[in-house]
Amino acid sequence: MVSALGNQTLKSSRGRHVKLAGGKPDEPVAAFTTPLFLKTYKAECKRKRAFIREGDLMRRRIGRVAKILRPLLADEQMRDLLVAQNLATLPRTLAARILHETYDLATFGADDRTPPSGVGRGELIGGIVPEVIELFQDCYLPPKIFGVLRKLAPTRQLEVTKLMIAMNRVTYNYAKMAVALSTQSQLADSSNPGWKFARLTDAQLAALKTEFADLSSRVQNTLRHYGAWALEHISAGKYLNQLLENVSVVRFLARKFPGTLSELQKLTELRSGDFSTWHAGVETAHRR
């Protein structure tokens, strides 16, 4: 019954979004003042940089765990102790990192998903790509958001939608900002020169577009690996906890590797909750 209710809710949500997407194709978009545009731009750039830093921090912490464990597992006494304590089985990705110093998710295929090369061939719904409506099915949408998104070319619509969901920023102003920062070729009407802003020269706006495009590209790269990094971070943390909760292992490390023991204890203070801010949005954005 719960499953049936959930399916009905999703169908209802999609139906509402289809109706929103199909209505008023020529609906005007409210003016975007320069102060509001710049305020939105600075806030979203800050969020993107925070997300990129978080992904990079998680990746580096995982690498640090592998670097610390590598010399320990090269020690025969340590290996024998781990076998005796039933701790010789490491998480697969952590073991791979320890065995291969150059191991990286991007090259070893722990995350085989690749970014889409384009959008589906389904007929546009009121100028909106069907995939966009599917991605939005779990989201509350500002009523006029489709009026903004339809100003974008199909591929750009999908790109902006995934970024909005991943950043948990499904808002009218984010969509308008994305249109303002899109190049002429990314607009639905490629003959449209794009939006202009008072007190912003063409060169200044071009610089903002370049910066935002670079940040968006880095966010998309982080998105491709974030879920796998998060899972690897959790599994590595659990394994370290098992090691440090074992009295025999701790005594051995204190006697033979005291410096390493101290480093491991510091690492176990890092919990998966440190990286919980973005999980829901990342998972939704990866639905396709």
Side-chain angles (χ1 to χ4, degrees), residues 179-206:
V179 172
L181 294 171
S182 296
T183 62
Q184 196 167 343
S185 63
Q186 292 174 324
L187 298 175
D189 180 4
S190 58
S191 64
N192 186 339
W195 290 356
K196 302 291 185 181
F197 294 92
R199 300 188 299 279
L200 269 184
T201 66
D202 290 345
Q204 289 172 324
L205 183 57

PDB file of all heavy atoms in Angstrom, residues 179-206:
ATOM      1  N   VAL A 179      20.234  31.746 -16.988  1.00  0.00           N
ATOM      2  CA  VAL A 179      19.948  32.287 -18.320  1.00  0.00           C
ATOM      3  C   VAL A 179      20.864  33.476 -18.605  1.00  0.00           C
ATOM      4  O   VAL A 179      21.454  33.591 -19.686  1.00  0.00           O
ATOM      5  CB  VAL A 179      18.466  32.711 -18.430  1.00  0.00           C
ATOM      6  CG1 VAL A 179      18.226  33.461 -19.747  1.00  0.00           C
ATOM      7  CG2 VAL A 179      17.560  31.499 -18.359  1.00  0.00           C
ATOM      8  N   ALA A 180      20.996  34.361 -17.622  1.00  0.00           N
ATOM      9  CA  ALA A 180      21.822  35.556 -17.804  1.00  0.00           C
ATOM     10  C   ALA A 180      23.288  35.205 -18.055  1.00  0.00           C
ATOM     11  O   ALA A 180      24.000  35.939 -18.752  1.00  0.00           O
ATOM     12  CB  ALA A 180      21.711  36.451 -16.571  1.00  0.00           C
ATOM     13  N   LEU A 181      23.743  34.064 -17.504  1.00  0.00           N
ATOM     14  CA  LEU A 181      25.146  33.671 -17.630  1.00  0.00           C
ATOM     15  C   LEU A 181      25.374  32.670 -18.756  1.00  0.00           C
ATOM     16  O   LEU A 181      26.478  32.138 -18.898  1.00  0.00           O
ATOM     17  CB  LEU A 181      25.631  33.085 -16.303  1.00  0.00           C
ATOM     18  CG  LEU A 181      25.688  34.077 -15.137  1.00  0.00           C
ATOM     19  CD1 LEU A 181      25.963  33.353 -13.827  1.00  0.00           C
ATOM     20  CD2 LEU A 181      26.737  35.147 -15.389  1.00  0.00           C
ATOM     21  N   SER A 182      24.360  32.397 -19.536  1.00  0.00           N
ATOM     22  CA  SER A 182      24.493  31.475 -20.658  1.00  0.00           C
ATOM     23  C   SER A 182      25.027  32.211 -21.886  1.00  0.00           C
ATOM     24  O   SER A 182      24.743  33.397 -22.083  1.00  0.00           O
ATOM     25  CB  SER A 182      23.144  30.836 -20.999  1.00  0.00           C
ATOM     26  OG  SER A 182      22.679  30.029 -19.934  1.00  0.00           O
ATOM     27  N   THR A 183      25.806  31.508 -22.681  1.00  0.00           N
ATOM     28  CA  THR A 183      26.293  32.108 -23.917  1.00  0.00           C
ATOM     29  C   THR A 183      25.167  32.133 -24.939  1.00  0.00           C
ATOM     30  O   THR A 183      24.141  31.469 -24.771  1.00  0.00           O
ATOM     31  CB  THR A 183      27.466  31.298 -24.485  1.00  0.00           C
ATOM     32  OG1 THR A 183      27.012  29.966 -24.803  1.00  0.00           O
ATOM     33  CG2 THR A 183      28.598  31.193 -23.469  1.00  0.00           C
ATOM     34  N   GLN A 184      25.361  32.866 -25.984  1.00  0.00           N
ATOM     35  CA  GLN A 184      24.321  33.017 -27.002  1.00  0.00           C
ATOM     36  C   GLN A 184      23.949  31.669 -27.602  1.00  0.00           C
ATOM     37  O   GLN A 184      22.783  31.394 -27.871  1.00  0.00           O
ATOM     38  CB  GLN A 184      24.804  33.978 -28.094  1.00  0.00           C
ATOM     39  CG  GLN A 184      23.689  34.510 -28.989  1.00  0.00           C
ATOM     40  CD  GLN A 184      24.148  35.684 -29.828  1.00  0.00           C
ATOM     41  OE1 GLN A 184      25.177  36.304 -29.536  1.00  0.00           O
ATOM     42  NE2 GLN A 184      23.402  36.015 -30.867  1.00  0.00           N
ATOM     43  N   SER A 185      24.935  30.792 -27.780  1.00  0.00           N
ATOM     44  CA  SER A 185      24.672  29.478 -28.377  1.00  0.00           C
ATOM     45  C   SER A 185      23.910  28.556 -27.432  1.00  0.00           C
ATOM     46  O   SER A 185      23.361  27.535 -27.863  1.00  0.00           O
ATOM     47  CB  SER A 185      25.989  28.814 -28.780  1.00  0.00           C
ATOM     48  OG  SER A 185      26.800  28.569 -27.633  1.00  0.00           O
ATOM     49  N   GLN A 186      23.878  28.888 -26.129  1.00  0.00           N
ATOM     50  CA  GLN A 186      23.174  28.062 -25.151  1.00  0.00           C
ATOM     51  C   GLN A 186      21.720  28.487 -24.962  1.00  0.00           C
ATOM     52  O   GLN A 186      20.994  27.866 -24.196  1.00  0.00           O
ATOM     53  CB  GLN A 186      23.893  28.124 -23.798  1.00  0.00           C
ATOM     54  CG  GLN A 186      25.264  27.461 -23.797  1.00  0.00           C
ATOM     55  CD  GLN A 186      26.009  27.668 -22.501  1.00  0.00           C
ATOM     56  OE1 GLN A 186      25.911  28.737 -21.879  1.00  0.00           O
ATOM     57  NE2 GLN A 186      26.770  26.669 -22.074  1.00  0.00           N
ATOM     58  N   LEU A 187      21.310  29.527 -25.659  1.00  0.00           N
ATOM     59  CA  LEU A 187      19.939  30.011 -25.556  1.00  0.00           C
ATOM     60  C   LEU A 187      19.051  29.328 -26.582  1.00  0.00           C
ATOM     61  O   LEU A 187      19.513  28.909 -27.653  1.00  0.00           O
ATOM     62  CB  LEU A 187      19.904  31.526 -25.757  1.00  0.00           C
ATOM     63  CG  LEU A 187      20.682  32.362 -24.733  1.00  0.00           C
ATOM     64  CD1 LEU A 187      20.654  33.842 -25.120  1.00  0.00           C
ATOM     65  CD2 LEU A 187      20.120  32.165 -23.333  1.00  0.00           C
ATOM     66  N   ALA A 188      17.783  29.205 -26.257  1.00  0.00           N
ATOM     67  CA  ALA A 188      16.835  28.586 -27.188  1.00  0.00           C
ATOM     68  C   ALA A 188      16.787  29.369 -28.495  1.00  0.00           C
ATOM     69  O   ALA A 188      16.681  28.792 -29.583  1.00  0.00           O
ATOM     70  CB  ALA A 188      15.445  28.513 -26.555  1.00  0.00           C
ATOM     71  N   ASP A 189      16.859  30.685 -28.391  1.00  0.00           N
ATOM     72  CA  ASP A 189      16.912  31.550 -29.566  1.00  0.00           C
ATOM     73  C   ASP A 189      18.335  32.063 -29.702  1.00  0.00           C
ATOM     74  O   ASP A 189      18.738  33.002 -29.020  1.00  0.00           O
ATOM     75  CB  ASP A 189      15.928  32.719 -29.400  1.00  0.00           C
ATOM     76  CG  ASP A 189      15.946  33.666 -30.591  1.00  0.00           C
ATOM     77  OD1 ASP A 189      16.664  33.379 -31.570  1.00  0.00           O
ATOM     78  OD2 ASP A 189      15.246  34.702 -30.527  1.00  0.00           O
ATOM     79  N   SER A 190      19.114  31.419 -30.553  1.00  0.00           N
ATOM     80  CA  SER A 190      20.532  31.753 -30.660  1.00  0.00           C
ATOM     81  C   SER A 190      20.772  33.126 -31.284  1.00  0.00           C
ATOM     82  O   SER A 190      21.913  33.612 -31.286  1.00  0.00           O
ATOM     83  CB  SER A 190      21.267  30.689 -31.479  1.00  0.00           C
ATOM     84  OG  SER A 190      20.701  30.576 -32.781  1.00  0.00           O
ATOM     85  N   SER A 191      19.711  33.734 -31.800  1.00  0.00           N
ATOM     86  CA  SER A 191      19.860  35.090 -32.340  1.00  0.00           C
ATOM     87  C   SER A 191      19.718  36.140 -31.237  1.00  0.00           C
ATOM     88  O   SER A 191      19.974  37.319 -31.445  1.00  0.00           O
ATOM     89  CB  SER A 191      18.818  35.356 -33.436  1.00  0.00           C
ATOM     90  OG  SER A 191      17.497  35.326 -32.892  1.00  0.00           O
ATOM     91  N   ASN A 192      19.296  35.686 -30.050  1.00  0.00           N
ATOM     92  CA  ASN A 192      19.120  36.579 -28.907  1.00  0.00           C
ATOM     93  C   ASN A 192      20.490  36.884 -28.300  1.00  0.00           C
ATOM     94  O   ASN A 192      21.211  35.967 -27.910  1.00  0.00           O
ATOM     95  CB  ASN A 192      18.213  35.908 -27.867  1.00  0.00           C
ATOM     96  CG  ASN A 192      17.866  36.830 -26.713  1.00  0.00           C
ATOM     97  OD1 ASN A 192      18.556  37.801 -26.444  1.00  0.00           O
ATOM     98  ND2 ASN A 192      16.792  36.505 -26.012  1.00  0.00           N
ATOM     99  N   PRO A 193      20.883  38.137 -28.197  1.00  0.00           N
ATOM    100  CA  PRO A 193      22.210  38.460 -27.652  1.00  0.00           C
ATOM    101  C   PRO A 193      22.329  38.233 -26.153  1.00  0.00           C
ATOM    102  O   PRO A 193      23.418  38.307 -25.584  1.00  0.00           O
ATOM    103  CB  PRO A 193      22.360  39.955 -27.990  1.00  0.00           C
ATOM    104  CG  PRO A 193      20.962  40.464 -28.040  1.00  0.00           C
ATOM    105  CD  PRO A 193      20.132  39.329 -28.597  1.00  0.00           C
ATOM    106  N   GLY A 194      21.213  37.936 -25.482  1.00  0.00           N
ATOM    107  CA  GLY A 194      21.264  37.700 -24.041  1.00  0.00           C
ATOM    108  C   GLY A 194      20.915  38.936 -23.243  1.00  0.00           C
ATOM    109  O   GLY A 194      20.681  40.015 -23.791  1.00  0.00           O
ATOM    110  N   TRP A 195      20.861  38.770 -21.932  1.00  0.00           N
ATOM    111  CA  TRP A 195      20.458  39.863 -21.054  1.00  0.00           C
ATOM    112  C   TRP A 195      21.589  40.870 -20.858  1.00  0.00           C
ATOM    113  O   TRP A 195      22.767  40.508 -20.850  1.00  0.00           O
ATOM    114  CB  TRP A 195      20.008  39.317 -19.703  1.00  0.00           C
ATOM    115  CG  TRP A 195      18.706  38.579 -19.761  1.00  0.00           C
ATOM    116  CD1 TRP A 195      17.891  38.437 -20.851  1.00  0.00           C
ATOM    117  CD2 TRP A 195      18.080  37.878 -18.684  1.00  0.00           C
ATOM    118  NE1 TRP A 195      16.787  37.691 -20.527  1.00  0.00           N
ATOM    119  CE2 TRP A 195      16.872  37.335 -19.197  1.00  0.00           C
ATOM    120  CE3 TRP A 195      18.404  37.658 -17.359  1.00  0.00           C
ATOM    121  CZ2 TRP A 195      15.997  36.590 -18.416  1.00  0.00           C
ATOM    122  CZ3 TRP A 195      17.541  36.911 -16.573  1.00  0.00           C
ATOM    123  CH2 TRP A 195      16.346  36.382 -17.094  1.00  0.00           C
ATOM    124  N   LYS A 196      21.195  42.103 -20.657  1.00  0.00           N
ATOM    125  CA  LYS A 196      22.131  43.177 -20.334  1.00  0.00           C
ATOM    126  C   LYS A 196      21.787  43.719 -18.951  1.00  0.00           C
ATOM    127  O   LYS A 196      20.634  43.660 -18.512  1.00  0.00           O
ATOM    128  CB  LYS A 196      22.035  44.305 -21.364  1.00  0.00           C
ATOM    129  CG  LYS A 196      22.293  43.872 -22.805  1.00  0.00           C
ATOM    130  CD  LYS A 196      23.748  43.498 -23.029  1.00  0.00           C
ATOM    131  CE  LYS A 196      23.992  43.184 -24.502  1.00  0.00           C
ATOM    132  NZ  LYS A 196      25.417  42.797 -24.753  1.00  0.00           N
ATOM    133  N   PHE A 197      22.798  44.248 -18.267  1.00  0.00           N
ATOM    134  CA  PHE A 197      22.585  44.782 -16.927  1.00  0.00           C
ATOM    135  C   PHE A 197      23.177  46.184 -16.819  1.00  0.00           C
ATOM    136  O   PHE A 197      24.295  46.429 -17.307  1.00  0.00           O
ATOM    137  CB  PHE A 197      23.226  43.877 -15.876  1.00  0.00           C
ATOM    138  CG  PHE A 197      22.589  42.526 -15.777  1.00  0.00           C
ATOM    139  CD1 PHE A 197      23.077  41.464 -16.518  1.00  0.00           C
ATOM    140  CD2 PHE A 197      21.488  42.324 -14.956  1.00  0.00           C
ATOM    141  CE1 PHE A 197      22.486  40.210 -16.422  1.00  0.00           C
ATOM    142  CE2 PHE A 197      20.892  41.080 -14.863  1.00  0.00           C
ATOM    143  CZ  PHE A 197      21.387  40.018 -15.594  1.00  0.00           C
ATOM    144  N   ALA A 198      22.421  47.057 -16.171  1.00  0.00           N
ATOM    145  CA  ALA A 198      22.909  48.410 -15.939  1.00  0.00           C
ATOM    146  C   ALA A 198      24.160  48.370 -15.068  1.00  0.00           C
ATOM    147  O   ALA A 198      24.259  47.563 -14.143  1.00  0.00           O
ATOM    148  CB  ALA A 198      21.820  49.249 -15.253  1.00  0.00           C
ATOM    149  N   ARG A 199      25.117  49.206 -15.400  1.00  0.00           N
ATOM    150  CA  ARG A 199      26.384  49.343 -14.653  1.00  0.00           C
ATOM    151  C   ARG A 199      27.283  48.109 -14.751  1.00  0.00           C
ATOM    152  O   ARG A 199      28.237  47.960 -14.006  1.00  0.00           O
ATOM    153  CB  ARG A 199      26.126  49.694 -13.175  1.00  0.00           C
ATOM    154  CG  ARG A 199      25.375  51.010 -12.986  1.00  0.00           C
ATOM    155  CD  ARG A 199      25.307  51.411 -11.516  1.00  0.00           C
ATOM    156  NE  ARG A 199      24.596  50.430 -10.713  1.00  0.00           N
ATOM    157  CZ  ARG A 199      23.269  50.372 -10.634  1.00  0.00           C
ATOM    158  NH1 ARG A 199      22.516  51.215 -11.329  1.00  0.00           N
ATOM    159  NH2 ARG A 199      22.675  49.476  -9.864  1.00  0.00           N
ATOM    160  N   LEU A 200      26.959  47.214 -15.691  1.00  0.00           N
ATOM    161  CA  LEU A 200      27.843  46.083 -15.981  1.00  0.00           C
ATOM    162  C   LEU A 200      28.218  46.139 -17.457  1.00  0.00           C
ATOM    163  O   LEU A 200      27.355  46.067 -18.329  1.00  0.00           O
ATOM    164  CB  LEU A 200      27.144  44.754 -15.693  1.00  0.00           C
ATOM    165  CG  LEU A 200      27.267  44.132 -14.307  1.00  0.00           C
ATOM    166  CD1 LEU A 200      26.580  42.779 -14.271  1.00  0.00           C
ATOM    167  CD2 LEU A 200      28.715  44.009 -13.865  1.00  0.00           C
ATOM    168  N   THR A 201      29.489  46.302 -17.739  1.00  0.00           N
ATOM    169  CA  THR A 201      29.924  46.350 -19.127  1.00  0.00           C
ATOM    170  C   THR A 201      29.889  44.943 -19.724  1.00  0.00           C
ATOM    171  O   THR A 201      29.816  43.944 -19.003  1.00  0.00           O
ATOM    172  CB  THR A 201      31.355  46.901 -19.243  1.00  0.00           C
ATOM    173  OG1 THR A 201      32.264  45.968 -18.625  1.00  0.00           O
ATOM    174  CG2 THR A 201      31.471  48.256 -18.554  1.00  0.00           C
ATOM    175  N   ASP A 202      29.960  44.879 -21.051  1.00  0.00           N
ATOM    176  CA  ASP A 202      29.977  43.581 -21.721  1.00  0.00           C
ATOM    177  C   ASP A 202      31.178  42.752 -21.263  1.00  0.00           C
ATOM    178  O   ASP A 202      31.078  41.530 -21.084  1.00  0.00           O
ATOM    179  CB  ASP A 202      30.019  43.769 -23.245  1.00  0.00           C
ATOM    180  CG  ASP A 202      28.709  44.309 -23.805  1.00  0.00           C
ATOM    181  OD1 ASP A 202      27.695  44.260 -23.081  1.00  0.00           O
ATOM    182  OD2 ASP A 202      28.712  44.780 -24.957  1.00  0.00           O
ATOM    183  N   ALA A 203      32.303  43.411 -21.072  1.00  0.00           N
ATOM    184  CA  ALA A 203      33.512  42.707 -20.632  1.00  0.00           C
ATOM    185  C   ALA A 203      33.344  42.147 -19.224  1.00  0.00           C
ATOM    186  O   ALA A 203      33.778  41.023 -18.929  1.00  0.00           O
ATOM    187  CB  ALA A 203      34.716  43.653 -20.683  1.00  0.00           C
ATOM    188  N   GLN A 204      32.713  42.923 -18.339  1.00  0.00           N
ATOM    189  CA  GLN A 204      32.492  42.451 -16.966  1.00  0.00           C
ATOM    190  C   GLN A 204      31.529  41.262 -16.944  1.00  0.00           C
ATOM    191  O   GLN A 204      31.763  40.287 -16.221  1.00  0.00           O
ATOM    192  CB  GLN A 204      31.942  43.592 -16.111  1.00  0.00           C
ATOM    193  CG  GLN A 204      32.956  44.682 -15.795  1.00  0.00           C
ATOM    194  CD  GLN A 204      32.327  45.874 -15.110  1.00  0.00           C
ATOM    195  OE1 GLN A 204      31.186  46.254 -15.401  1.00  0.00           O
ATOM    196  NE2 GLN A 204      33.064  46.497 -14.182  1.00  0.00           N
ATOM    197  N   LEU A 205      30.462  41.351 -17.724  1.00  0.00           N
ATOM    198  CA  LEU A 205      29.508  40.242 -17.781  1.00  0.00           C
ATOM    199  C   LEU A 205      30.159  39.008 -18.384  1.00  0.00           C
ATOM    200  O   LEU A 205      29.921  37.883 -17.920  1.00  0.00           O
ATOM    201  CB  LEU A 205      28.282  40.651 -18.600  1.00  0.00           C
ATOM    202  CG  LEU A 205      27.150  39.618 -18.690  1.00  0.00           C
ATOM    203  CD1 LEU A 205      26.657  39.239 -17.289  1.00  0.00           C
ATOM    204  CD2 LEU A 205      25.992  40.148 -19.529  1.00  0.00           C
ATOM    205  N   ALA A 206      30.994  39.201 -19.389  1.00  0.00           N
ATOM    206  CA  ALA A 206      31.698  38.074 -20.002  1.00  0.00           C
ATOM    207  C   ALA A 206      32.611  37.387 -18.992  1.00  0.00           C
ATOM    208  O   ALA A 206      32.732  36.154 -18.966  1.00  0.00           O
ATOM    209  CB  ALA A 206      32.497  38.548 -21.209  1.00  0.00           C
TER     210      ALA A 206
END
